[in-house]
Amino acid sequence: MEEEQQYADELTFKKIWDSIKRSGVRIIVYVLIGLIIAVGVMGVCNIILTRSQYETKITYYYSGVEDGNDPWGGQMGLVNNIRASSNVRNALAKCGYDEETIDLLVDDVIQNLSVIPSTTNEYRNESDEVISASYNYRIILTQNPKIDKNLGSRNEYNTIVNAITEEYIEAFKLKYSMDTKLPAIENISDSLSQNTLQNYDELRQYVNTFAIESASWQAKTGNFISPSQKESFATLTSQIASLSSELDRYRTHILTNAINGNGEKELIEIRLAKYTAESNSKKAHILTLNEALEKAKTIIATGSQSGTIILQTTKELQEEIIKVSAELAKSSENQELWTAYKNSYNDNENRYETLTEEEQVALYDTATSMANRIIDGYNTLLVTYKGMIKDYNEGYSINSLVRVTSGARQTNTSVLTPMIFIIILAVVIIIAVIIAMCVTSKKGAMRIKALERNKESQTEELLLENAESVEATDEGILSDNESKRE
């Protein structure tokens, strides 16, 4: 009997199916209620967990960027350049934030800034050569609570990501497009009012700047040859070097003849005093900075003051030392240069004074002629240089190589993915079904117990009625018997 009861209590698929059929309406109601509650809770969670993203898009118009190359075939480091601290700092500064806020924002902005390749469009000719291309990159700044607390509103995210993108593009064009601010130089007139040494010094600065620019573009543009000028930057740099040699001969003419008809010696003393004072000032400044740096390092080592503040101060001191050291090197170079001029004049001090006026004028005429040849050569090369720049920019379209193709736009992302929603809803449905079945089962058991109690109650009432009937019958019989006896 116990074994039969055990089998009767076992859960089977048939019993489950029968329970589902009995609970059909209740299951539907419970599932609907569960889904409404689940969707509401997930909606609230989604609002709390949602992170906004603010995005711009850059489009490049040259082949090779997809492999991380710059317009000249070198490695560009696109992502690193956009997310570089200097780029982000400059962008935040242009947004109007103060230095303190920038220091608080810059690291968090970089951590939440991503660069993602997007669509690529290439057009090739019959030889499968790329004749035009556009490569898109998405720059995304994701909203973050650490950034929020330093902003006035979330609208500032759009401003920041726009500024970061535009700052990068400006730097890109500045680096890869070509231009020059070198002006043409006017010829020197034949007049004794010209200070030959001052003329030389000014020409030296122009020619040196020209040589540095040309060498820089030679390194960047490789084998580029200007179609209109039939020149490469290597050839141009060589021609500027020849111009520098002429400049050296001009200086030798002035110094060996100790030309001093228009204040050349006075100019030497003035410039030498200026650069000497500058050098001494820079040396004293570096000494003070080094003392401050050592003090800061001691404070860090002993931990006697806030480490963050001192570390920032240490970094600023080191940067300032590097800057002032470069300025000192330049001042010292000029000091040595004008010291050499002074020594040369001292060695040839009597030569110019012993000459006749006609001989002195002849020296000046020769100096003027030499200076004008250098000026003519400089102006000719400058025209060539500007023509080469025009050809290069037109041929490579540097100024249109990159642009923002869309302003910043906002999108929202949530950690609650569609798959997570489906899983949560499925769990809710299963739980609702189980609860509905359990309620049905419990109510069924309660109904059975109620029926049993009713049955027992009816039985008891029947027994009572029978007992009352028997009692009544007995009372009747006794009454009859008494009557007979009487």
Side-chain angles (χ1 to χ4, degrees):
M1 190 71 178
E2 290 181 3
E3 188 176 351
E4 290 178 1
Q5 183 63 36
Q6 181 181 352
Y7 286 129
D9 293 338
E10 284 185 354
L11 188 64
T12 63
F13 286 110
K14 185 175 182 304
K15 287 183 179 180
I16 294 172
W17 177 245
D18 290 340
S19 179
I20 291 173
K21 287 195 293 183
R22 287 197 305 273
S23 309
V25 175
R26 186 171 279 110
I27 286 173
I28 292 172
V29 173
Y30 278 37
V31 166
L32 288 175
I33 294 172
L35 288 176
I36 291 170
I37 294 172
V39 170
V41 172
M42 285 189 292
V44 173
C45 292
N46 195 42
I47 292 172
I48 295 171
L49 297 174
T50 293
R51 291 287 180 265
S52 297
Q53 291 185 328
Y54 304 81
E55 174 184 332
T56 57
K57 184 171 68 175
I58 287 181
T59 300
Y60 294 86
Y61 295 93
Y62 68 93
S63 182
V65 68
E66 73 280 11
D67 297 321
N69 294 335
D70 62 30
W72 303 324
Q75 284 295 310
M76 176 169 54
L78 182 149
V79 175
N80 291 337
N81 289 340
I82 293 174
R83 298 179 72 247
S85 178
S86 58
N87 187 63
V88 175
R89 276 187 173 277
N90 291 339
L92 292 173
K94 288 185 178 179
C95 290
Y97 297 108
D98 56 42
E99 282 298 322
E100 184 179 354
T101 305
I102 291 173
D103 288 339
L104 294 172
L105 279 173
V106 64
D107 289 336
D108 291 327
V109 168
I110 291 172
Q111 288 173 10
N112 290 278
L113 191 67
S114 53
V115 182
I116 303 172
S118 183
T119 319
T120 301
N121 300 310
E122 286 187 344
Y123 300 94
R124 298 175 179 268
N125 59 17
E126 295 178 355
S127 303
D128 201 36
E129 295 174 341
V130 177
I131 55 177
S132 67
S134 62
Y135 304 95
N136 299 328
Y137 286 82
R138 298 165 58 207
I139 300 176
I140 300 171
L141 179 59
T142 303
Q143 176 262 326
N144 183 277
K146 290 183 179 179
I147 300 176
D148 289 345
K149 65 184 182 182
N150 293 304
L151 301 183
S153 72
R154 289 193 179 178
N155 290 332
E156 294 178 34
Y157 277 92
N158 274 332
T159 305
I160 291 172
V161 74
N162 259 330
I164 290 171
T165 306
E166 290 171 2
E167 180 68 19
Y168 165 75
I169 290 175
E170 285 180 15
F172 179 94
K173 289 182 176 179
L174 181 63
K175 183 174 182 179
Y176 295 110
S177 64
M178 297 181 59
D179 196 7
T180 183
K181 294 181 179 179
L182 286 172
I185 307 174
E186 292 184 6
N187 278 17
I188 298 171
S189 61
D190 296 329
S191 170
L192 286 178
S193 63
Q194 297 295 326
N195 186 310
T196 57
L197 200 54
Q198 184 172 348
N199 289 340
Y200 162 77
D201 193 50
E202 291 174 359
L203 289 175
R204 177 180 66 88
Q205 294 180 48
Y206 281 118
V207 173
N208 285 351
T209 302
F210 198 177
I212 292 169
E213 274 195 25
S214 181
S216 173
W217 289 118
Q218 178 187 344
K220 292 175 181 177
T221 59
N223 297 324
F224 171 78
I225 297 177
S226 167
S228 66
Q229 304 300 319
K230 311 299 182 186
E231 291 276 10
S232 68
F233 283 98
T235 304
L236 181 67
T237 302
S238 176
Q239 291 170 337
I240 297 172
S242 297
L243 198 63
S244 296
S245 298
E246 287 190 40
L247 194 62
D248 290 340
R249 287 191 288 273
Y250 177 40
R251 180 193 62 204
T252 301
H253 173 74
I254 297 169
L255 296 179
T256 55
N257 291 292
I259 296 176
N260 187 34
N262 289 290
E264 281 83 355
K265 280 190 177 181
E266 288 81 356
L267 179 65
I268 289 175
E269 294 298 336
I270 292 170
R271 294 288 178 86
L272 185 55
K274 172 188 174 183
Y275 294 124
T276 301
E278 277 186 12
S279 296
N280 293 335
S281 175
K282 302 298 180 188
K283 288 175 183 177
H285 192 187
I286 290 174
L287 184 61
T288 303
L289 291 171
N290 280 323
E291 289 174 354
L293 182 61
E294 288 303 317
K295 184 178 179 181
K297 288 179 178 178
T298 302
I299 292 173
I300 293 172
T302 57
S304 58
Q305 197 170 331
S306 173
T308 303
I309 296 173
I310 297 302
L311 282 173
Q312 181 64 28
T313 303
T314 302
K315 180 182 177 183
E316 291 172 354
L317 285 170
Q318 290 170 335
E319 291 175 350
E320 185 67 13
I321 288 171
I322 293 171
K323 175 187 172 184
V324 177
S325 296
E327 293 172 353
L328 172 61
K330 187 65 178 176
S331 296
S332 298
E333 179 185 343
N334 284 322
Q335 183 184 3
E336 292 173 3
L337 192 66
W338 287 90
T339 299
Y341 296 166
K342 181 176 181 178
N343 293 335
S344 181
Y345 262 82
N346 289 338
D347 292 340
N348 301 289
E349 188 172 6
N350 297 323
R351 179 172 297 186
Y352 182 81
E353 281 75 6
T354 59
L355 298 176
T356 64
E357 184 177 346
E358 290 76 9
E359 291 173 327
Q360 290 177 352
V361 170
L363 287 177
Y364 266 95
D365 289 344
T366 302
T368 301
S369 177
M370 294 177 74
N372 282 333
R373 280 202 305 271
I374 294 168
I375 291 170
D376 290 341
Y378 169 92
N379 288 336
T380 300
L381 292 178
L382 186 62
V383 170
T384 301
Y385 181 49
K386 289 182 176 180
M388 294 172 72
I389 289 174
K390 185 174 182 294
D391 288 347
Y392 186 87
N393 284 340
E394 287 179 354
Y396 285 78
S397 301
I398 291 294
N399 287 322
S400 61
L401 276 181
V402 60
R403 72 166 183 255
V404 179
T405 55
S406 65
R409 61 186 181 88
Q410 179 182 351
T411 57
N412 295 320
T413 59
S414 172
V415 295
L416 295 178
T417 62
M419 183 58 69
I420 294 176
F421 269 93
I422 292 170
I423 292 171
I424 292 174
L425 294 178
V427 171
V428 169
I429 290 171
I430 293 170
I431 292 173
V433 170
I434 293 172
I435 292 174
M437 290 170 62
C438 290
V439 171
T440 299
S441 177
K442 186 175 182 180
K443 288 194 173 183
M446 291 172 65
R447 191 180 297 113
I448 290 171
K449 287 182 180 179
L451 289 172
E452 289 176 350
R453 282 197 300 271
N454 289 336
K455 188 176 180 181
E456 289 175 358
S457 176
Q458 289 173 0
T459 302
E460 288 175 357
E461 288 177 0
L462 223 78
L463 289 173
L464 286 172
E465 288 176 1
N466 289 336
E468 289 173 357
S469 176
V470 170
E471 186 178 348
T473 302
D474 289 345
E475 286 177 356
I477 293 171
L478 288 172
S479 178
D480 289 342
N481 290 334
E482 288 178 358
S483 298
K484 288 179 181 181
R485 281 198 297 271
E486 290 176 357

